[in-house]
């Protein structure tokens, strides 16, 4: 085999593998209870330093925003974002603002393998959200109706892909660009926003999961 042909084969193999997410293992000594107990202390699970390392940006360039309005057993999510150097037009193209990439983490709970697969691998989880809204003590019927319609619409556009090589089980969800992860019996969700590059978002989300599980 001549050198030129070897280079072509190597280039093909690299190109074929470039879209794969990395293998993320769950260490034998991983304690699921530890991460579950920190469901309202997310900065201890996912730090700015982890985000900076995976995103390849300085720590001091990363902003932190806590979302308090998450209707998931009183939990919140935390969003880390940073300017990506691009601009986007707003107000009908009249103004330009900085564009941002981001990661977030939230929705930490204890789940069995079967529960996780049903909740995230199907639309069952979305239906459960609708059902749980109606059970709230101070349920606002008007707001609940709007949210239910949004969830129903989203269910029609939602797609999930099971990733065989990430943690105990995981699903990549679009168009949200969310990686739902089960590590033993601890479930959590990472979202990744890298513009229109879904392959990069999936890869970076997997890298972030690896940083959490294998620090």
């Amino acid at each position: 085999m001549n050198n030129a042909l070897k280079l072509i084969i190597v280039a093909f193999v690299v190109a074929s593998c470039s879209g794969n997410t990395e293998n993320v293992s769950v260490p034998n000594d991983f304690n699921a209870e530890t991460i579950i107990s920190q469901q309202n202390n997310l900065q201890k699970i996912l730090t700015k330093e982890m985000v900076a390392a995976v995103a390849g940006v300085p720590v001091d360039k990363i902003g932190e925003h806590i979302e308090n309005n998450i209707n998931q057993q009183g939990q919140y999510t935390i969003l880390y974002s940073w300017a990506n150097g691009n601009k986007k037009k707003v107000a009908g193209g009249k103004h330009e603002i900085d564009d941002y990439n981001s990661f977030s983490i939230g929705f930490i709970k204890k789940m069995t393998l079967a529960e996780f697969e049903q909740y995230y691998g199907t639309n069952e989880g979305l239906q459960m959200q609708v059902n749980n809204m109606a059970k709230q003590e101070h349920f606002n019927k008007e707001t609940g109706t709007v949210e239910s319609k949004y969830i129903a619409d989203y269910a029609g556009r939602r797609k999930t892909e099971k990733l065989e090589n990430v943690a105990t089980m995981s699903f990549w969800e679009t168009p949200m660009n969310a990686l739902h992860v089960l590590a033993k019996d601890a479930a959590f969700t990472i979202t990744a926003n890298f513009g229109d590059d879904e392959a990069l978002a999936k890869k970076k989300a997997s890298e972030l999961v690896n940083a959490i599980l294998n620090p």
Side-chain angles (χ1 to χ4, degrees), residues 1 3 19-20 37 45 47 64 68 83-84 92 116 162 173 180-181 186 199 203:
M1 184 183 296
N3 289 336
N20 294 339
S37 69
I45 300 172
T47 66
E64 177 183 311
N68 293 306
N84 58 27
F116 181 85
K162 190 174 185 178
E173 178 182 337
H180 306 293
V181 180
K203 178 178 182 296

Side-chain angles (χ1 to χ4, degrees), residues 11-215:
F12 175 79
V13 171
V14 170
S16 299
C17 297
S18 62
N20 294 339
T21 55
E22 66 178 70
N23 184 63
V24 180
S25 61
V26 180
N28 292 332
D29 61 351
F30 175 77
N31 188 343
E33 292 299 328
T34 299
I35 192 170
I36 293 170
S37 69
Q38 294 175 337
Q39 61 184 208
N40 282 315
N41 201 359
L42 299 178
Q43 293 91 334
K44 287 189 175 181
I45 300 172
L46 180 60
T47 66
K48 275 189 179 182
E49 287 73 19
M50 290 178 181
V51 172
V54 173
V57 296
V59 173
D60 61 0
K61 299 295 183 182
I62 297 173
E64 177 183 311
H65 178 68
I66 293 175
E67 293 282 354
N68 293 306
N69 299 323
I70 302 302
N71 181 28
Q72 293 282 333
Q73 299 175 342
Q75 291 188 45
Y76 66 90
T77 62
I78 187 167
L79 177 76
Y80 295 105
S81 61
W82 59 95
N84 58 27
N86 298 323
K87 299 286 185 179
K88 65 179 181 181
K89 292 184 178 181
V90 296
K94 296 179 181 179
H95 304 285
E96 283 190 340
I97 60 173
D98 288 332
D99 195 17
Y100 285 80
N101 292 343
S102 65
F103 285 123
S104 76
I105 185 172
F107 311 115
I108 298 172
K109 64 188 78 174
K110 186 173 183 177
M111 301 184 84
T112 66
L113 192 70
E115 289 170 340
F116 181 85
E117 188 163 26
Q118 182 180 33
Y119 192 90
Y120 289 114
T122 70
N123 279 334
E124 181 69 21
L126 295 178
Q127 184 59 51
M128 288 176 65
Q129 290 181 39
V130 174
N131 296 342
N132 289 336
M133 278 192 293
K135 296 177 184 178
Q136 293 177 33
E137 183 179 354
H138 303 291
F139 177 68
N140 183 305
K141 187 174 291 187
E142 183 176 337
T143 301
T145 300
V146 172
E147 290 184 359
S148 296
K149 287 182 178 179
Y150 171 80
I151 291 174
D153 175 68
Y154 180 73
R157 296 181 290 116
R158 178 179 183 262
K159 294 181 180 179
T160 59
E161 174 192 358
K162 190 174 185 178
L163 304 184
E164 302 292 346
N165 56 341
V166 177
T168 304
M169 183 181 285
S170 62
F171 289 97
W172 176 253
E173 178 182 337
T174 56
M176 188 181 291
N177 279 8
L179 182 56
H180 306 293
V181 180
L182 183 69
K184 293 188 177 177
D185 55 358
F188 60 94
T189 295
I190 296 287
T191 65
N193 170 32
F194 284 82
D196 296 326
D197 197 337
E198 182 188 347
L200 179 60
K202 187 190 299 183
K203 178 178 182 296
K204 290 297 184 181
S206 297
E207 291 178 6
L208 201 64
V209 172
N210 192 48
I212 292 171
L213 299 181
N214 300 282

